Amino acid sequence: LFCSYYTTRLFIGSPPQEFALIVDTGSTVTYVPCSSCEQCGKHQDPRFQPELSNTYQALKCNPSCNCDDDGKQCTYERRYAEQSSSSGVLAEDVISFGNESKLAPQRAVFGCENVETGDLYSQRADGIIGLGRGRLSIVDQLVDKSVISDSFSLCYGGMDVGGGAMVLGGISPPSDMVFTHSDPYRSPYYNIELKGLRVAGKPLKINPKVFDGRHGTVLDSGTTYAYLPEEAFVALKDSIMKEISVLRQIHGPDPNYNDICFAGAGREISELSKIFPTVDMVFSNGQSLTLSPENYLFRHTKVSGAYCFGIFQNGKDPTTLLGGIVVRNTLVTYDRENDKIGFWKTNCSELWKRLQVPGAPAPAPNSLHMNNTSNGSQNVPPVQPPNGLPTKHIPGEVRIAIITFDMLIVVNDTSTKPNLTEVADVIAHELEVDNLQVQMLNATLRGKEYQVKWALYPAASAEYISNSTAMSILLRLKEHRLQFPKRYGSYQLVEWKVEPQRKLSWWQQHLVAVAIGILVTVVIGLSSLGVWLVWRRRQQTLGTYEPVGGIVPEQELQPL
């Protein structure tokens, strides 16, 4: 199975050292092999040599990063679903995108690799440029410096053509660009609101919730193919196969994988649309994106005129993962500022003849290059999106009763004890909640460090904290977006916990009504009993009426 990835050129250091990096919206760290790397593969460019750069600066250990064993330098580690990994130290240096870009050189944090495993070790590309959401992302760093607006665009060339472009910063979207909402609080990945599929114009009978499982529908430019939940994959495969019954099904190019391939379609890509049906992705707002055959097929490498499905079942994972194949010859705009993603079908190899790119704040486009590698492991449906989420996440639609989090506060001035009540007010302000919602549970002093456990409760007017609010709060904490007064120094999120609202039993939910019912019954019963006793006593006191002088039975006196 041949896999493709798209790279861009990045220059690091002074004087600049050149690298070819895979463009990856599913990663948040940019990294290249370091000259001191103990376990790095042979790539297309020489390793980065920090000693040759006049502007290189190691990132010193601080509370907001993971540190090496000596406690001197910040480190990073990333593990991917296909069992590859990258780890090393974090550093800061000048980066640029070459003469093709109008973006002036900027200082940025990147990873200097010490260990590579799996595909990262064997690939031709030098490393990865991370465009995901996160403080180490190249996009986030450039936005924080106000160098670009909070947006970027990618355009991948078509089958057998390759090439394309990357724009860091905003562009004027074409009038017929199709947009869908992207929720930044759901996960660090770029998700879209996919609700249905159509094959040859006919809707597939799929529950829309299928595309909302686990991480939802995620766009990942670093993944080659597309992976669907089982229900959606089976329905799509069966529907397409009904439309191409005239073709002969054959084995795939790699006997180790059960690829679905067909012969007899011809070598001309322009003729594929006459044989294979179009597939429409329908979004929640009713708009749709049409996929041509090159957006879900890859060419068979051993049989001329044969093609294979580039969409696979994502194991038992309910996540929908859309890789680069789906957006071939499609300009994709990641409008992070407005929480939406746009799609525009175009010839990406000739994009800039059709698209007007404003001078500011968007820099000129950077060219992309396609690389093919014979690598079967890419065909294994990932268990999770490439960069992985935090080990804990909020499942489904849960009513949250309380959020607790441990925070390590490093005080600059040890002579001044921090006012934790004031800190609570600062946290409430930064998280945009009411002051009464943030409560300190306990605090422990260790030298310059205060470890404080906080609790965040629902607002007075609400019974619970919603999922979206909780994710927004946790992302702000995890990404260290809280701005503390300088006298308090910095903070680090140690641990967090979400406690769902307890589901009450029928008796707990109706306890008050049951108690009132019992009370009313007792009162009525006692009242009835009292009335009956009073009536009976009066009857005994009055007895039956007898005329004066009447004969009554003789009653014997009881002996004393």
Side-chain angles (χ1 to χ4, degrees):
L1 176 66
F2 270 75
C3 298
S4 304
Y5 55 75
Y6 292 80
T7 62
T8 188
R9 284 283 168 180
L10 185 69
F11 298 83
I12 305 176
S14 303
Q17 300 175 45
E18 185 177 0
F19 302 94
L21 305 182
I22 296 175
V23 178
D24 191 3
T25 58
S27 294
T28 55
V29 181
T30 297
Y31 49 82
V32 296
C34 226
S35 58
S36 59
C37 183
E38 301 171 353
Q39 184 182 316
C40 286
K42 186 177 181 180
H43 306 292
Q44 66 185 77
D45 295 297
R47 298 177 182 178
F48 178 70
Q49 300 181 64
E51 63 274 13
L52 298 183
S53 175
N54 299 324
T55 49
Y56 176 87
Q57 186 175 359
L59 205 61
K60 294 182 179 179
C61 181
N62 62 78
S64 64
C65 74
N66 295 320
C67 300
D68 58 15
D69 294 337
D70 298 328
K72 294 181 179 180
Q73 193 167 352
C74 290
T75 62
Y76 80 94
E77 182 179 15
R78 290 294 183 271
R79 295 185 179 276
Y80 297 88
E82 76 275 12
Q83 306 305 314
S84 62
S85 66
S86 170
S87 60
V89 296
L90 291 175
E92 189 180 70
D93 209 336
V94 175
I95 67 164
S96 64
F97 292 89
N99 297 329
E100 294 181 37
S101 175
K102 292 181 181 178
L103 180 65
Q106 302 290 329
R107 292 194 68 84
V109 176
F110 69 101
C112 210
E113 285 183 300
N114 288 327
V115 176
E116 290 176 340
T117 65
D119 295 339
L120 293 175
Y121 182 91
S122 59
Q123 69 188 16
R124 176 170 165 75
D126 300 308
I128 283 180
I129 179 170
L131 303 178
R133 290 188 176 105
R135 61 191 182 91
L136 293 179
S137 165
I138 285 293
V139 178
D140 284 71
Q141 292 188 63
L142 295 178
V143 170
D144 290 343
K145 293 176 181 290
S146 300
V147 176
I148 63 171
S149 59
D150 200 4
S151 177
F152 69 96
S153 300
L154 298 175
C155 202
Y156 288 174
M159 185 187 294
D160 296 343
V161 178
M166 174 177 70
V167 182
L168 296 177
I171 62 172
S172 299
S175 59
D176 53 346
M177 177 171 267
V178 175
F179 284 96
T180 178
H181 177 68
S182 181
D183 185 0
Y185 302 117
R186 175 160 187 171
S187 75
Y189 306 105
Y190 299 106
N191 53 70
I192 58 176
E193 294 183 346
L194 180 63
K195 294 301 178 184
L197 296 173
R198 293 193 297 255
V199 174
K202 293 172 284 190
L204 300 184
K205 295 180 180 180
I206 305 174
N207 189 330
K209 292 183 178 179
V210 167
F211 303 105
D212 201 37
R214 202 180 179 200
H215 304 310
T217 300
V218 176
L219 283 179
D220 182 16
S221 65
T223 296
T224 304
Y225 300 110
Y227 300 87
L228 303 181
E230 183 177 5
E231 179 184 346
F233 169 74
V234 171
L236 178 64
K237 172 181 68 72
D238 292 346
S239 183
I240 292 177
M241 291 180 70
K242 286 180 181 178
E243 298 290 330
I244 56 172
S245 56
V246 295
L247 298 180
R248 178 170 55 90
Q249 188 170 348
I250 61 174
H251 292 293
D254 191 338
N256 295 318
Y257 297 96
N258 190 26
D259 290 327
I260 302 172
C261 304
F262 303 91
R267 290 198 54 83
E268 290 298 322
I269 297 174
S270 59
E271 299 295 312
L272 289 180
S273 58
K274 297 178 181 178
I275 303 170
F276 290 90
T278 58
V279 176
D280 295 324
M281 295 197 309
V282 183
F283 304 124
S284 60
N285 58 7
Q287 292 188 300
S288 62
L289 172 67
T290 299
L291 306 181
S292 60
E294 73 169 353
N295 294 124
Y296 63 83
L297 297 173
F298 65 91
R299 192 184 290 277
H300 199 296
T301 56
K302 296 181 179 179
V303 179
S304 178
Y307 300 86
C308 307
F309 280 166
I311 298 178
F312 304 93
Q313 182 180 327
N314 198 5
K316 295 300 180 181
D317 191 337
T319 300
T320 298
L321 188 62
L322 305 180
I325 190 172
V326 174
V327 290
R328 283 174 174 168
N329 275 335
T330 306
L331 174 66
V332 183
T333 295
Y334 297 81
D335 188 349
R336 302 169 12 138
E337 186 174 357
N338 297 303
D339 297 338
K340 61 182 182 179
I341 294 178
F343 302 88
W344 186 56
K345 298 293 290 186
T346 186
N347 184 342
C348 289
S349 301
E350 301 176 355
L351 175 67
W352 308 114
K353 296 178 182 179
R354 303 182 59 191
L355 188 67
Q356 295 286 332
V357 181
N366 217 43
S367 61
L368 298 179
H369 307 276
M370 185 177 73
N371 197 319
N372 293 323
T373 178
S374 180
N375 192 341
S377 66
Q378 292 286 344
N379 192 13
V380 180
V383 176
Q384 62 181 31
N387 198 29
L389 278 179
T391 53
K392 294 185 287 188
H393 64 280
I394 301 175
E397 279 299 323
V398 179
R399 291 187 172 189
I400 298 162
I402 181 175
I403 299 173
T404 58
F405 53 94
D406 292 356
M407 182 181 285
L408 197 65
I409 302 175
V410 181
V411 183
N412 290 333
D413 186 1
T414 55
S415 62
T416 305
K417 183 178 179 180
N419 184 339
L420 294 179
T421 302
E422 184 181 353
V423 175
D425 293 341
V426 171
I427 293 174
H429 178 266
E430 292 293 317
L431 296 179
E432 298 180 4
V433 299
D434 191 88
N435 288 5
L436 296 177
Q437 290 181 246
V438 180
Q439 301 291 331
M440 184 189 71
L441 300 181
N442 58 62
T444 306
L445 174 62
R446 297 175 183 173
K448 290 185 177 181
E449 299 176 346
Y450 279 83
Q451 183 157 345
V452 188
K453 180 180 283 292
W454 303 96
L456 196 147
Y457 297 92
S461 58
E463 297 179 356
Y464 59 90
I465 303 172
S466 67
N467 270 21
S468 58
T469 301
M471 284 303 300
S472 172
I473 290 170
L474 293 173
L475 279 175
R476 292 187 191 190
L477 290 169
K478 182 176 177 293
E479 298 292 341
H480 297 84
R481 299 180 190 176
L482 275 61
Q483 300 296 321
F484 274 26
K486 290 184 178 179
R487 61 181 180 278
Y488 291 148
S490 58
Y491 79 90
Q492 180 179 359
L493 182 65
V494 178
E495 186 181 10
W496 57 268
K497 183 179 180 183
V498 169
E499 296 183 16
Q501 192 178 43
R502 292 177 60 187
K503 190 173 182 180
L504 301 178
S505 65
W506 185 92
W507 286 104
Q508 290 173 315
Q509 293 178 17
H510 301 87
L511 182 61
V512 175
V514 171
I516 293 174
I518 293 174
L519 182 61
V520 170
T521 302
V522 170
V523 170
I524 293 174
L526 290 175
S527 299
S528 301
L529 180 61
V531 171
W532 180 77
L533 290 174
V534 170
W535 175 81
R536 184 174 179 182
R537 185 173 182 82
R538 289 188 61 189
Q539 291 296 319
Q540 290 175 345
T541 303
L542 295 174
T544 56
Y545 174 76
E546 295 290 341
V548 178
I551 301 173
V552 295
E554 183 177 310
Q555 296 184 4
E556 182 180 354
L557 296 175
Q558 295 295 325
L560 295 175

